[in-house]
Structures are given as C-alpha cells and as structure tokens.
C-alpha cells in the first residue's frame, strides 16, 4: 500500500464527511432538541434515526394543524433524503478503507487504516445525531406556546418507544405499557380515563431509562480505546456495571407496578385483556398461546350454543382463569429469579448464587424442576377445562367441531 493511495482513501472519507456537514448547515445554529437517544451505537447505522412513526407521534402528541403537518412532512422528506445521501457517502468511504485493509500486508498500515475506519464511524455517529437534532429543532420552530408545552411528553414517549430495547436485559423491562394500552383498541372514554396514569408512568419510567442509555453508552466507550482495542479500568467498569444492573431492576419494577395500576383503571374485561397482553409480551413462553380461549372461540363460532350453554361456558372460563392465576404468578416469579441470577451469577442483593447444573441452594427444588412442575400443572388444568367444555356440548355440536361445518343458529341441534 503506497502513501499516495492511503492519502486518497483518507481524502475520499473526508469528502463523505464534508457532504454530511454541508447537509447540516441549515441546522448549525438551531437550539438542540432533547428527543435523542443517548446511545452512541444508535447513531452509527445507515437508516434514518427519525422514523415515519415519529412524525405520526408528533402530529398526535402536539396536535399539529394542517399547515404544520404539511411543513412537518416536507421537513421529514428533506431529512430522509439528506440522511440517505450522507449515509451513502460515508459507506463509500468505509468500503474504501475496508478494501485497503484487505489489500495491505503491512501490519502498521493495517493498524493505521483500522484507526481511520473507527474514527470515521465515530464521526458519522456525530453527524447522524446532528441531523436528528436539526430535524427536531426545525419542528420545534413550528410550534405555538401550548404545543411547545407538550414537547417534553413527546420526548419521553420517543425515548421509551425507540430506545426501550436498546441494552434491555430483563423481560418485563422491555415492554412499553402505553403501547400495550393503545393496541387494545379501547373506547375513547375508557382510554381518556387512563391519561393520568399514562402521564405518571411516562414521568417515572423516563429518568431511569435515560440513565440506562447514558450508562450503557459510557461503558461501551470505556471498553474501547481509539484503535478499537479493549481498554478501560476494570474496577471502574465493575462499578458501572453494578449501577447498570440496578437500573435494569428499577425499570422492571416500574413496569410491574404500573401494569397493575393500568389494569386497575380499566373497567370490566379491559383490565384482564391488558394484563394478558402485558404478560404475553413479557413472558411469551408461558402466555403466547391460550389454548382454552382459542377452543372457546371455535366452539362459539361452530356450535350455535344455547343461552344456557353460553352461560355455562362463561363460568368454566372464569373458573379456569382463577385456577391458572397462582400457577402463572409462580411461573413469572421463577423466571424473574432466574433473570436476577443471570445478572448476579455469584449472588447479589437478595439474589441467591446460581448453582452449576441448575441445582437449588441447600438441596431444594431447582428453578428448572420448579418450572417443569408448574408447566405440567398448567397443562393438566388446560386439559381438564377442554374436557369440561366438551361435556357441555351435544353430539351434533361435537360433530360440528370435528367437521368444521357450523350448525345453523335456529336448528340442527339435538333437543
């Protein structure tokens, strides 16, 4: 590899960065917008960090009027185009550096090129972030005073919506309760009655989430020196990791507490639907499939139940849910204990050390054995309820389930 070729590669990479800087000229003096995600790695990708979903959230949260929405769409189209052009230029520069690394046999030259590659990625993260900051600053310039007062709500919602999965480690930590609520398709008056809880949840969740982002990013930076090699102070990293673990647990506990609060604010079956959906997202191994609910739905579609049968079926389903609840609660507790042992394998605050092979401390029942016992109890309860549902039905109704041909609602059933 000649020095002239290396200079050409660096010049090409520099032009890629210059393209991004020119695109950002209009935003250079804008007041920073604080909706960004505080993790460096989020800005090192090549897709726009502002998504169409963000523009829809801006319209809804800030209640933009039609002219404002038109300006927002125009700004977003410009942002997407500018980002794509800048990202393509950066990728060209990075590819050139990769080709040069593959072509050279000089260890010192390869090391220099690796350093240049890493520096270019870091600089691209800066430019990607600044494009996002510039876009949101332009949006804020469109707002009236009342709309601007709602901006912090948008920031919190975006950090949770976009950044929730970044570096999350606990299952219940990974669920956005507001998204669960909104996907239930509730009546407007029911959804509005939850607004106070939604606002409080957003406020309480945002601080530890932002801290988790910042701390994860800080640890990643400390893990690497300028040449991309392992570095950082071991004692400092252990201290930061301990703080990060506690943030994971704090976020999990906020979600568990507010999941109960949301369900309590929802009337009738809506609360049960919310709890079921939260559990399905947090612990899909146990809650993804509800065999009894699926069977009951099929029975209702095909068997043309009488009023008395419908009443009996409802009572069976209610009793089934009551019998499953303690099993489900214990399964969730076992899973959360297992997760804490993964965070603190040698033991931590209130956490027993993980044992080789899954044995329980003191010779008790291991977590795996306990899980298997609970799953078997759950399956036995499911089989029992399915049998009880079949016992409600006539031979004609059972035949309809077998053939898949529904019974006419006004006839075709045995008396």
């Amino acid at each position: 590899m000649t020095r002239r070729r290396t200079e050409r590669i660096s010049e090409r990479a520099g032009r890629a960065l210059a393209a991004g800087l020119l695109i950002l000229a209009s935003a250079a003096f804008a007041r920073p917008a604080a909706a960004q995600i505080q993790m460096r790695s989020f800005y090192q990708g090549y897709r726009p960090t502002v998504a169409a979903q963000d523009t829809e959230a801006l319209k809804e949260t800030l209640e933009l009027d039609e002219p404002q929405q038109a300006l927002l769409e125009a700004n977003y189209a410009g942002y997407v185009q500018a980002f794509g052009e800048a990202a393509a230029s950066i990728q060209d520069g990075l590819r050139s550096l990769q080709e040069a690394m593959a072509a050279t046999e000089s260890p010192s030259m390869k090391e220099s090129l690796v350093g240049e590659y890493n520096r270019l990625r870091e600089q691209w993260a800066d430019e990607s972030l600044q494009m996002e900051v510039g876009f949101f600053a332009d949006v804020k310039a469109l707002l009236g005073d009342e709309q601007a007062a709602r901006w912090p709500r948008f920031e919190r919602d975006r950090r949770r919506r976009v950044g929730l999965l970044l570096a999350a480690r606990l299952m219940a930590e990974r669920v956005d309760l507001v998204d669960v609520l909104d996907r239930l398709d509730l009546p407007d008056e029911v959804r509005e009655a939850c607004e106070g809880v939604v606002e409080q949840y957003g406020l309480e969740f945002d601080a530890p989430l932002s801290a988790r982002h910042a701390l994860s990013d800080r640890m990643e930076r400390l893990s690497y020196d300028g040449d991309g090699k392992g570095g950082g102070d071991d004692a400092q990293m252990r201290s930061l990791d301990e703080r990060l673990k506690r943030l994971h647990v704090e976020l999990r506990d906020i979600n568990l507490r507010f999941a109960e609060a949301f369900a309590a604010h929802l009337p009738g079956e809506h609360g049960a639907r919310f709890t079921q959906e939260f559990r399905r997202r947090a612990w899909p191994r146990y809650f993804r499939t509800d065999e009894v609910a699926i069977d009951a739905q099929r029975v209702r579609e095909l068997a043309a139940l009488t009023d008395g049968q419908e009443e009996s079926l409802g009572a069976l389903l209610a009793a089934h849910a009551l019998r499953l609840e303690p099993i489900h609660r214990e399964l969730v507790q076992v899973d959360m204990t297992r997760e804490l042992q993964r965070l603190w394998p040698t033991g931590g605050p209130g956490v027993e050390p993980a044992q080789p092979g899954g044995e329980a401390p003191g010779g008790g029942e291991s977590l795996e054995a306990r899980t298997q016992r609970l799953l078997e109890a759950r399956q036995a309860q499911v089989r029992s309820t399915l049998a009880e549902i079949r016992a409600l039905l006539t031979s004609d109704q059972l035949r309809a389930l077998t053939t898949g041909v529904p019974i006419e609602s006004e006839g075709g059933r045995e008396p």
Side-chain angles (χ1 to χ4, degrees), residues 89-109:
S89 296
I90 293 296
Q91 288 178 289
D92 283 346
L94 292 172
R95 274 193 294 269
S96 293
L97 290 168
Q98 287 176 318
E99 291 168 2
M101 283 183 248
T104 185
E105 296 181 0
S106 167
S108 61
M109 183 64 70

Side-chain angles (χ1 to χ4, degrees), residues 282-304:
W283 301 284
R285 177 186 179 189
Y286 308 134
F287 298 105
R288 178 180 290 127
T289 302
D290 187 341
E291 301 98 321
V292 170
I294 293 171
D295 187 68
Q297 175 72 18
R298 189 165 184 270
V299 167
R300 284 166 167 152
E301 289 173 352
L302 297 175

Side-chain angles (χ1 to χ4, degrees), residues 330 365 368-378:
E330 194 172 351
E365 186 181 30
E368 291 308 318
R370 191 176 169 194
T371 300
Q372 187 59 36
R373 173 176 58 78
L374 291 165
L375 288 175
E376 288 172 358
R378 181 184 186 278

Side-chain angles (χ1 to χ4, degrees), residues 300-321:
R300 284 166 167 152
E301 289 173 352
L302 297 175
L305 298 177
T306 65
D307 291 343
Q309 286 177 316
E310 180 62 47
E311 183 177 349
S312 296
L313 177 59
L316 279 179
L317 295 178
H320 174 72

Side-chain angles (χ1 to χ4, degrees), residues 378-391:
R378 181 184 186 278
Q379 192 55 38
Q381 173 58 39
V382 167
R383 287 196 299 267
S384 174
T385 302
L386 291 176
E388 289 178 307
I389 292 174
R390 291 298 176 276

